[in-house]
Amino acid sequence: EDCVGCNATIPHVTPEQQRRLLMLFHPEPQAPSEDSMSIVQEFWASAPKALPLKLESLLAVWLLNCFEHSEEPVGFSTFFLPAFISHDCRPNCMWHYEGDSFILRARRDISVGEEITVSYLAEESLLESITSRRSQLEATKHFICNCSSCSSSLDPVRGFKCLGCQEGEIFFEFDDRIRPSTEGACRQCGFLATSSQAEELVAQEAKVEEYIQQWDRKEGSAAAYLTEATTERARWNGPCTSVIDPLARMYLLHVSYSL
């Protein structure tokens, strides 16, 4: 068969390969967006009526398949075969550029027949919560991630300091609500938090994230938040209180640092 997008001949694929290709499919846009209409009106006022929808389709192909090429200036590029590589929040491969060449490397041993995966997110984003990763992928790539890391209700990268021994970590289940789980109990002392304790820890986590976002918006005056953080810290009574001041000091030393 021929590829609808570029008329290239596609070799025969197995049913399993067909299933994976269908997972990559996104429906064609049915109507142009206001942005596409504005672009056409600004630069091609006398263009055919079908052009805005064609532009919308081309933009969708670009946005859903591009890879970041450079940061200064911001640049992106697309490659035919890499565009078929699926995302995973624990990918078995990573990619980089050598000049303008796309280089793919294994980051662990890969079994015969195992699907090759990369991350569509930045490396630091893989350390964020399931909710955060899914939100970023839905906003940028228009899909809900159901990889093994995101399918688990117990978030393995969202640990809290144990309220019992103060040394280990405890984890919660996050689906329709926050729930303590025996699977997430502290491995050092076996402590299992109550629902109210879980809600309090998550509230304090949100406060830490709020401070970091404030610093990102006003990185030039981050020192001012040290005083605010110290004042706010006195009002808190929980294991997250000790996080604020170190984060503030870290931010002053490394303004570009992000969690």
Side-chain angles (χ1 to χ4, degrees):
E1 297 182 2
D2 290 335
C3 172
V4 176
C6 63
N7 295 322
T9 299
I10 301 177
H12 175 72
V13 294
T14 65
E16 174 61 18
Q17 289 172 327
Q18 292 178 11
R19 184 188 67 80
R20 292 179 179 177
L21 287 173
L22 287 173
M23 289 174 63
L24 300 172
F25 173 74
H26 284 273
E28 283 286 331
Q30 298 301 307
S33 64
E34 293 184 6
D35 292 335
S36 294
M37 293 289 293
S38 298
I39 292 173
V40 171
Q41 291 174 2
E42 179 69 24
F43 296 100
W44 300 288
S46 60
K49 293 183 178 180
L51 185 58
L53 183 57
K54 182 66 174 179
L55 177 61
E56 188 72 21
S57 297
L58 292 174
L59 287 174
V61 171
W62 173 261
L63 292 173
L64 295 173
N65 293 282
C66 66
F67 293 85
E68 185 176 359
H69 185 277
S70 61
E71 293 184 356
E72 293 184 3
V74 176
F76 298 87
S77 56
T78 56
F79 301 86
F80 181 73
L81 289 179
F84 287 89
I85 302 177
S86 297
H87 165 84
D88 196 290
C89 290
R90 287 188 178 179
N92 55 26
C93 290
M94 62 184 300
W95 60 272
H96 66 93
Y97 288 103
E98 288 185 4
D100 289 332
S101 298
F102 183 95
I103 307 299
L104 186 68
R105 299 185 185 277
R107 61 197 303 167
R108 62 170 174 80
D109 292 338
I110 302 175
S111 303
V112 175
E114 181 182 355
E115 182 178 10
I116 291 175
T117 57
V118 297
S119 172
Y120 295 173
L121 300 173
E123 286 291 313
E124 60 269 21
S125 295
L126 298 180
L127 299 177
E128 296 180 10
S129 67
I130 293 174
T131 302
S132 176
R133 297 196 308 270
R134 279 183 162 178
S135 296
Q136 292 181 57
L137 289 168
E138 184 177 12
T140 59
K141 299 299 183 181
H142 301 175
F143 72 90
I144 302 296
C145 185
N146 286 308
C147 70
S148 58
S149 296
C150 291
S151 298
S152 172
S153 59
L154 196 71
D155 198 334
V157 299
R158 199 175 181 184
F160 295 84
K161 189 175 181 180
C162 177
L163 299 175
C165 66
Q166 298 292 312
E167 294 182 359
E169 292 180 313
I170 53 178
F171 299 85
F172 305 124
E173 291 187 355
F174 294 86
D175 39 34
D176 56 335
R177 59 188 179 88
I178 303 165
R179 292 182 296 138
S181 167
T182 54
E183 186 181 350
C186 178
R187 294 185 179 181
Q188 294 196 33
C189 69
F191 178 84
L192 181 63
T194 65
S195 296
S196 60
Q197 289 172 325
E199 292 175 358
E200 176 64 20
L201 288 174
V202 172
Q204 293 188 15
E205 176 194 41
K207 194 67 176 180
V208 173
E209 292 179 346
E210 180 183 344
Y211 272 114
I212 293 174
Q213 291 173 3
Q214 289 177 348
W215 293 334
D216 283 338
R217 289 193 296 268
K218 299 182 178 180
E219 61 182 34
S221 58
Y225 290 103
L226 278 171
T227 302
E228 291 183 22
T230 303
T231 302
E232 188 69 23
R233 183 173 182 268
R235 303 175 188 170
W236 290 13
N237 293 300
C240 288
T241 60
S242 60
V243 173
I244 293 296
D245 286 346
L247 280 176
R249 290 193 295 271
M250 183 183 297
Y251 196 89
L252 288 176
L253 293 173
H254 307 284
V255 174
S256 61
Y257 181 88
S258 60
L259 296 183

